[in-house]
Amino acid sequence: MLNLIIFGPPGCGKGTQSARLSCRFELVHLSTGDIFREKVRQGSDLGSLLSGYMNKGELVPDGIVLREIYMATTTDKEVSGYIFDGFPRTIMQAVALDRIMGERNSSLDIVFSMKVEKDELLARLLGRGEDSGRADDSSEIILKRINVYEQYTLPVKDYYVKQGKLVQISGMAPVKVVSDRMAAVVDFYRKNGVIPEVTPL
Ligand code: AP5
């Protein structure tokens, strides 16, 4: 199996890059945001609970997130790997993911940490908000999401630095350039079994 995480602030391009890499490497793309938006769309009680957090730009509690991830990773038995997009977002989620992977006799391989300047994040998400229909793509909630990321999610980066799995990638370049840089890291890893010492910025 090959298991990747795409990590970074709102609007850095996690979803865009996960979609491209999942096609390129035939991996299952698991986006917690997409899973939750689908629950909201279905109009269940869980959906209305989730929208209460998401529409305010707050994190969904770990217990709910982990139950959804656990279910998503146990239904597909025969997969060649996963791309986790927007997960984990807390240390507790990161620890739980290691455990879940261990139960599948697998482990995480590479964590891509994307960096994009704040002005660019805002511009991208406000642009998307014009037709995305996402209730959390307003300037007030975008800023809240960025603050929540900096306060609760950014510390998760260190967890993966300590594991030697983190690769920094600039998300400021055009979409295809970013994908090609990530794919080059994955290709090197598959060939050599280690992350390249010199990785793209
Ligand atoms: P989630 O759906 O994960 O949202 P997010 O992290 O805020 O990220 P976005 O989807 O807004 O952005 P992205 O980084 O995927 O960028 P994208 O590719 O779309 O989470 C939503 C909410 O769900 C959270 O706030 C929370 O409430 C809850 N939640 C989810 N997961 C959770 C968890 N694990 N724990 C707790 N709560 C959780 O691109 C954005 C725009 O930029 C697009 O228009 C795109 O076309 C454009 N773009 C992308 N790349 C480029 C580029 N290189 N150049 C120019 N434009 C680009």
Side-chain angles (χ1 to χ4, degrees):
M1 281 179 90
L2 175 74
N3 299 302
L4 312 176
I5 290 176
I6 313 284
F7 182 90
C12 69
K14 299 185 294 297
T16 303
Q17 296 303 334
S18 296
R20 294 172 71 92
L21 291 178
S22 65
C23 286
R24 194 153 172 168
F25 295 106
E26 297 185 348
L27 304 172
V28 175
H29 176 189
L30 274 187
S31 155
T32 37
D34 287 348
I35 293 172
F36 297 158
R37 278 184 287 278
E38 177 57 20
K39 303 272 179 206
V40 173
R41 198 192 60 76
Q42 288 166 358
S44 61
D45 287 348
L46 175 58
S48 65
L49 180 66
L50 290 168
S51 67
Y53 295 104
M54 296 168 79
N55 293 351
K56 285 189 269 181
E58 293 172 0
L59 291 182
V60 171
D62 287 336
I64 300 176
V65 177
L66 291 172
R67 192 182 58 203
E68 295 301 324
I69 283 289
Y70 198 83
M71 285 196 294
T73 53
T74 44
T75 40
D76 294 326
K77 294 287 178 211
E78 303 297 328
V79 297
S80 52
Y82 293 98
I83 298 191
F84 295 98
D85 159 12
F87 172 85
R89 268 170 144 100
T90 63
I91 296 288
M92 186 191 271
Q93 292 179 20
V95 171
L97 181 59
D98 280 342
R99 199 188 63 235
I100 291 169
M101 290 283 112
E103 285 170 9
R104 295 181 66 100
N105 296 318
S106 189
S107 60
L108 285 168
D109 295 287
I110 304 169
V111 179
F112 287 107
S113 172
M114 299 184 69
K115 195 153 186 269
V116 169
E117 285 159 23
K118 201 165 176 175
D119 288 352
E120 174 71 9
L121 297 175
L122 265 168
R124 286 183 190 179
L125 293 178
L126 285 173
R128 187 182 65 185
E130 286 169 16
D131 52 15
S132 69
R134 273 181 61 164
D136 59 350
D137 274 348
S138 67
S139 56
E140 184 197 346
I141 303 300
I142 292 167
L143 287 172
K144 172 84 182 286
R145 286 157 60 200
I146 294 173
N147 284 340
V148 166
Y149 169 80
E150 288 171 350
Q151 191 175 353
Y152 298 102
T153 303
L154 203 48
V156 177
K157 227 170 106 171
D158 265 355
Y159 181 83
Y160 293 116
V161 170
K162 286 182 188 138
Q163 292 189 357
K165 293 180 177 171
L166 199 96
V167 174
Q168 295 266 18
I169 293 274
S170 169
M172 296 291 285
V175 168
K176 183 177 181 310
V177 172
V178 178
S179 311
D180 287 346
R181 287 175 179 167
M182 288 177 162
V185 172
V186 173
D187 286 336
F188 183 96
Y189 179 83
R190 285 181 134 178
K191 193 168 167 206
N192 302 289
V194 291
I195 290 170
E197 274 178 37
V198 179
T199 55
L201 292 176

